[in-house]
Amino acid sequence: MTRPTRTRYAGPIRQAETHPHTLVDQGFASDESLAAILDRYPAELFDINLYDYDAEGGHTLRTGARGRLDGGELLAAIQQGRLWVNMRNVETGWPELWAAAMSELEQVQSRYAGLRAVKATGNLILSSPKARVPYHFDAAGVVLFHMRGRKRVFVYPGDETHLPERNMEQVVARQTTEELPYTLTFEQDAQVMDLDPGQALTWPFYAPHRVENLDRFCVSLSIEFQTWPSRFRNGALYTNAVLRSRGGRPRMTDRMGTPELAARWAASLALKKAGAMKSRLEHFERDFEPEVGAADGAGALRS
């Protein structure tokens, strides 16, 4: 029996579902392949994070620098620590993986009537055995191709309680990171999915989610993609953020039809060109770099 949709935003993906893929069989998640790509991946495309959690599920974030370790050493630090490493722009950083993933993405898209990506980007995620990713959302469609280890993904409804539009506006306008207000009571509403290598996970557009590794080093490729409906909505969210920052009280986007969403998307292009809202996410202060044998895999920054 198919569950009712878990989001107020229309879209062809109605619940979290798994699909098979072949990226593991093609060798992209081996130690040899990962060490080689870590050696040559551009340092400016690394996000290295370490999250600490309290008893209520709240978190604090530390950000790290790429550091001077070679690929094999960096891989070892991730495998024995508590790090979450995101390698952005796989389409340029690892074109061989990207080409293989695009073929897999086409297979996933074919399972959803009307789903068509018009823009896509990839993030290769390497995470330590005990790493956890806090409650957040992506302003895009996502296919998570899991390639190594085991992880558990918690997917929550995309309603106003779990996904307030004001917070969405702030994320789309780059005023805050993707994290959302969270309470432990949300857990009763989660759809819980355990992933093994060779499985790809989809979930409804914008659905909040969080991730826990199940005591193993994990490798996943996250493909984020836009459709024309998601482009229109993101543009409307950006325009609403600008209006709200100037004292306006814009209508929520789920009350807008396609013509109004498209008009606000068009307005967002002009607002961005004019620099209506400056990003607050340009610079994060780095306070560690990976180190083999250090607690959590995080050592002191070296000048």
Side-chain angles (χ1 to χ4, degrees), residues 14-15 39 44 67 80 182 261:
R14 299 177 62 85
Q15 63 184 26
D39 255 337
E44 66 272 15
Q80 59 94 60
Y182 170 80
L261 290 168

Side-chain angles (χ1 to χ4, degrees), residues 13-286:
I13 303 175
R14 299 177 62 85
Q15 63 184 26
E17 297 177 317
T18 59
H19 313 272
H21 71 83
T22 67
L23 296 179
V24 178
D25 298 336
Q26 297 180 58
F28 291 110
S30 69
D31 277 359
E32 182 180 24
S33 294
L34 295 174
I37 195 62
L38 285 167
D39 255 337
R40 70 174 193 261
Y41 216 83
E44 66 272 15
L45 296 180
F46 275 81
D47 297 320
I48 301 181
N49 297 331
L50 200 161
Y51 295 100
D52 294 302
Y53 295 84
D54 60 32
E56 299 302 315
H59 71 278
T60 55
L61 167 66
R62 297 170 58 194
T63 60
R66 164 63 177 84
R68 305 177 187 179
L69 301 182
D70 65 28
E73 293 168 333
L74 179 54
L75 182 62
I78 301 168
Q79 289 177 334
Q80 59 94 60
R82 197 162 55 84
L83 303 177
W84 184 87
V85 177
N86 180 41
M87 299 159 67
R88 290 178 278 112
N89 295 9
V90 169
E91 58 273 22
T92 57
W94 197 353
E96 298 86 358
L97 172 58
W98 185 248
M102 287 297 94
S103 177
E104 300 289 345
L105 180 62
E106 288 183 6
Q107 294 297 315
V108 174
Q109 284 188 127
S110 70
R111 299 184 177 100
Y112 295 99
L115 182 61
R116 178 53 54 188
V118 295
K119 181 181 180 181
T121 187
N123 303 296
L124 183 64
I125 301 167
L126 280 56
S127 50
S128 300
K130 296 185 182 298
R132 298 158 58 191
V133 179
Y135 186 80
H136 70 287
F137 86 103
D138 300 294
V142 176
V143 182
L144 184 67
F145 292 96
H146 192 52
M147 296 190 287
R148 186 164 168 180
R150 296 187 68 241
K151 65 174 48 180
R152 180 166 293 161
V153 183
F154 301 76
V155 182
Y156 304 81
D159 55 25
E160 184 64 16
T161 298
H162 299 84
L163 183 63
E165 272 219 349
R166 286 196 180 196
N167 293 93
M168 296 176 71
E169 293 169 8
Q170 292 297 295
V171 171
V172 169
R174 297 183 59 79
Q175 302 302 292
T176 66
T177 57
E178 297 169 337
E179 284 80 17
L180 295 164
Y182 170 80
T183 172
L184 290 175
T185 60
F186 288 176
E187 291 312 301
Q188 63 188 354
D189 304 316
Q191 184 183 359
V192 183
M193 307 291 289
D194 286 354
L195 288 184
D196 291 308
Q199 290 183 307
L201 182 65
T202 56
W203 55 79
F205 277 64
Y206 305 108
H209 52 282
R210 65 182 186 87
V211 183
E212 295 180 357
N213 285 359
L214 298 178
D215 291 321
R216 298 184 191 178
F217 167 66
C218 286
V219 179
S220 300
L221 173 64
S222 175
I223 294 185
E224 298 182 5
F225 63 92
Q226 298 293 343
T227 62
W228 275 110
S230 70
R231 275 186 164 181
F232 287 164
R233 189 172 305 280
N234 288 351
L237 288 165
Y238 183 91
T239 298
N240 281 2
V242 174
L243 293 172
R244 203 179 299 281
S245 72
R246 288 152 173 73
R249 299 178 63 184
R251 293 189 337 130
M252 292 175 64
T253 67
D254 63 338
R255 298 174 186 169
M256 299 178 185
T258 299
E260 186 174 2
L261 290 168
R264 298 219 173 190
W265 166 73
S268 74
L269 300 180
L271 289 167
K272 290 176 182 179
K273 186 174 182 179
M277 293 192 81
K278 301 295 185 183
S279 172
R280 296 181 181 179
L281 304 180
E282 296 301 326
H283 302 288
F284 284 99
E285 186 170 343
R286 316 282 178 175

